[in-house]
Amino acid sequence: MHHNIRNGVVTISLIRREVLGVSFCSACSTMRGSSIGHPRQGENAVSLYPIMDNHKQSIMTSQEIRESYKTFFASKGHVIVPSAPMVIKGDPTLMFTNAGMNQFKDIILGNAPIKHPRVADSQKCLRVSGKHNDLEEVGHDTYHHTMFEMLGNWSFGDYFKHEAIDWAWEYLTEVLKLSKDRLYVTVFEGAPAEGLERDDEAASIWAKHLPVERIINGNKHDNFWEMGDQGPCGPCSEIHVDIRSDEERAEVDGLTLVNQSHPQVIEIWNL
């Protein structure tokens, strides 16, 4: 039997409305879906053009993105923890670390004490087997990878949706300077047949940041996170960015391309 959790999760993980994790997928050296720029000092780089607010070419290395993320969440009271080993030890259910929440699994399940109520990290992940096997997807789009880093901020019995949403928006628009008019969000639309309501709480918080028409209802496949057939689960929100040219955006509204497997309208945050 699932724990019926109505309130948000993350790559998300929430249990008993007390554990919240949020992950921002920084796919190894590419911010998911962003175009690759020219490497600097041996570090792969990411071009945020044309999605920067000032529409000027800007190159950030993966190291710069990673450090800016950690610095931002440290300023919000998070303890920065190291990436867990990629090869799982002491957990027979996983061979490799495939998500940022893996190292916090025992805390989420209530089997380990909470050391820090707020944590942030950059977790190295490998998805080549099991539930998250992306081997067959690599090369067919711009955002599936087998090995990548997942940036995550986590709350254990501390803050919840308001802070998670506000800080995600602040980081993307104020730190990375992404254009607000290129961002869309999705919320769980509900599943009446299963007794699950729409996530109106998340939708109302998002409405502080962007127009209602860019807050999109998502189905259970896209906007309901489950750890497995049994265990923690609950609704989640996603942030999507449209990195097409202005000419392409004028021809086709990005609203119609969210969660449609478009290579340049892609999810970058799950919370």
Side-chain angles (χ1 to χ4, degrees):
M1 178 183 298
H2 282 112
H3 297 286
N4 262 330
I5 309 296
R6 292 180 48 214
N7 297 305
V9 250
V10 202
T11 305
I12 288 179
S13 286
L14 165 81
I15 182 169
R16 296 193 306 274
R17 195 186 167 101
E18 294 173 358
V19 180
L20 177 68
V22 182
S23 65
F24 167 47
C25 297
S26 175
C28 203
S29 28
T30 67
M31 195 175 76
R32 262 197 185 171
S34 297
S35 56
I36 306 286
H38 297 290
R40 262 196 293 162
Q41 299 176 347
E43 179 79 38
N44 287 331
V46 177
S47 171
L48 299 182
Y49 178 83
I51 57 176
M52 300 290 288
D53 213 17
N54 59 10
H55 293 273
K56 294 180 180 178
Q57 183 84 13
S58 180
I59 302 295
M60 291 183 71
T61 66
S62 57
Q63 181 177 352
E64 288 169 339
I65 292 177
R66 187 186 304 117
E67 291 308 311
S68 73
Y69 184 89
K70 292 179 180 179
T71 299
F72 176 81
F73 280 100
S75 75
K76 304 297 185 183
H78 292 67
V79 173
I80 308 302
V81 299
S83 175
M86 194 174 294
V87 178
I88 299 289
K89 298 179 180 178
D91 186 347
T93 67
L94 284 172
M95 182 175 293
F96 303 111
T97 294
N98 61 11
M101 55 78 62
N102 288 171
Q103 68 169 301
F104 308 115
K105 181 178 174 181
D106 284 339
I107 295 176
I108 293 169
L109 292 173
N111 296 328
I114 297 170
K115 294 181 180 179
H116 309 288
R118 299 183 182 186
V119 170
D121 66 345
S122 178
Q123 176 63 53
K124 297 178 179 67
C125 299
L126 188 63
R127 292 190 172 181
V128 293
S129 63
K131 176 183 176 182
H132 294 299
N133 181 2
D134 288 345
L135 275 175
E136 300 302 321
E137 305 296 334
V138 174
H140 296 287
D141 56 35
T142 58
Y143 46 87
H144 278 95
H145 308 267
T146 52
M147 182 179 177
F148 60 94
E149 290 182 42
M150 187 176 288
L151 304 177
N153 56 289
W154 309 85
S155 170
F156 303 111
D158 190 9
Y159 63 83
F160 199 50
K161 291 186 184 180
H162 281 86
E163 294 87 346
I165 288 174
D166 288 349
W167 291 339
W169 187 260
E170 181 182 351
Y171 176 73
L172 291 178
T173 62
E174 301 299 327
V175 178
L176 294 188
K177 304 293 185 182
L178 302 192
S179 297
K180 296 177 182 179
D181 64 356
R182 288 178 174 270
L183 298 176
Y184 299 84
V185 300
T186 60
V187 297
F188 180 52
E189 66 185 3
E194 300 180 53
L196 298 173
E197 299 177 359
R198 179 177 184 264
D199 193 356
D200 291 331
E201 181 182 9
S204 66
I205 300 169
W206 281 120
K208 299 188 304 178
H209 300 293
L210 71 173
V212 174
E213 58 268 23
R214 284 197 275 132
I215 303 172
I216 306 163
N217 285 339
N219 58 30
K220 191 176 179 183
H221 173 74
D222 292 319
N223 284 94
F224 193 89
W225 183 86
E226 298 173 277
M227 192 172 179
D229 292 336
Q230 297 181 346
C233 62
C236 61
S237 283
E238 297 172 342
I239 305 175
H240 298 250
V241 63
D242 185 349
I243 61 173
R244 296 174 300 151
S245 68
D246 289 337
E247 292 74 18
E248 291 174 304
R249 293 172 65 224
E251 291 180 5
V252 180
D253 190 344
L255 189 67
T256 66
L257 301 177
V258 172
N259 276 334
Q260 299 302 313
S261 299
H262 192 284
Q264 292 180 300
V265 183
I266 43 87
E267 173 197 349
I268 57 172
W269 204 307
N270 189 328
L271 66 161

